[in-house]
Amino acid sequence: MTTTVANVATRPLNQRTAISLKSVSVLYPGHCQALSDISLEISEGEFVFIVGASGAGKSTLLKLLTHEEVCTSGTVIVEGFTVSGMTHSQIPALRRRVGVVYQNFGLLPDRTVYENVAFAMRVTGAGRRDVVRRIPEVLELVGLQSRPDAFPGQLSGGEQQRVAIARALVNRPKLLLADEPTGNLDPETSLGIVDLLHDINATGATVLVATHDVAIVDKSERRVLEFADGVLVRDEACGRYGRVALETCEEQA
Ligand code: ADP
């Protein structure tokens, strides 16, 4: 099956590839074709939105990048790791280079902000001195330096998502994946979270955001990959949530 792409985004030749998918398909048990023959490349330092209706394959794509799901056919390369075909013993090294943020924050409710973030460092074997040095840095980055002792239940939704982002960043990943990061937030708080993701991208991290949130995509004017029923139907360099005329995109580039 050949993928139809409206406008393949171009990239400068000197940029290194962060993510490469070649002819990737995912067939779940029960014959659900979640992704069909996807080929795409994302450069280091790019900020990319993944859009499409529920069930389009957005989460499956993100899960392939951390080896949470494996493709049925094709090749997935992330940060130099050939993820498709990886052995279990190689997975921790991949996951140390990839931070993940989810819609429901996924914080430990009985641990403080500090402990939630520190936990993510300790599981990688980080020593106490590194933890003590790094946590204040990363809490400052997300604007929560004054709340290290708060429990998740004492924070707003936006603040909880900032803790989750701090946790995802604490090991200095090269790649940050966010699956519906604003799905549980009001519009204003959502824009603040997306501004934070842009700030993180400006430090050099590659950022991928799967979303239904029209406002954050349209405001950002970044690369958009649109999926429909597991097929990549649009790859636009300065996209909006919905399709725009190609000429408009070219004028803005
Ligand atoms: P999206 O994130 O765009 O909502 P998903 O990637 O979650 O889409 O799902 C793509 C398709 O794969 C959907 O039809 C969904 O029902 C199906 N699917 C997702 N996960 C599984 C699974 N573990 N087993 C079987 N089918 C699945």
Side-chain angles (χ1 to χ4, degrees), residues 36 38 48 58 76 110 138 142 196 204 236 248:
S36 299
I38 305 299
V48 181
K58 306 180 296 296
V76 178
D110 57 345
V138 79
V142 302
L196 174 59
E236 226 170 17
T248 313

Side-chain angles (χ1 to χ4, degrees), residues 19 39 43 45 52 69 81 95 161 166 169 196 208 219 233 248:
I19 295 168
S39 294
S43 297
E69 293 289 351
F81 292 88
R95 292 191 179 159
Q161 192 57 294
L169 291 178
L196 174 59
L208 264 68
K219 181 170 181 277
V233 293
T248 313

Side-chain angles (χ1 to χ4, degrees), residues 28-29 32 34 53-60 69:
Y28 283 120
C32 172
S54 186
K58 306 180 296 296
S59 298
T60 300
E69 293 289 351

Side-chain angles (χ1 to χ4, degrees), residues 1 33 40 59 64 68 107 132 135-136 160 164 185 192-193 207 221 253:
M1 182 173 178
Q33 183 87 38
L40 59 87
S59 298
L64 286 179
E68 218 180 307
L107 301 175
V132 167
I135 307 286
Q160 290 185 54
L185 305 176
I193 291 294
V207 178
E221 295 184 345

Side-chain angles (χ1 to χ4, degrees), residues 94-108:
L94 166 73
R95 292 191 179 159
R96 275 197 290 278
R97 296 177 78 89
V98 184
V100 188
V101 176
Y102 301 98
Q103 175 172 352
N104 63 3
F105 321 132
L107 301 175
L108 300 167

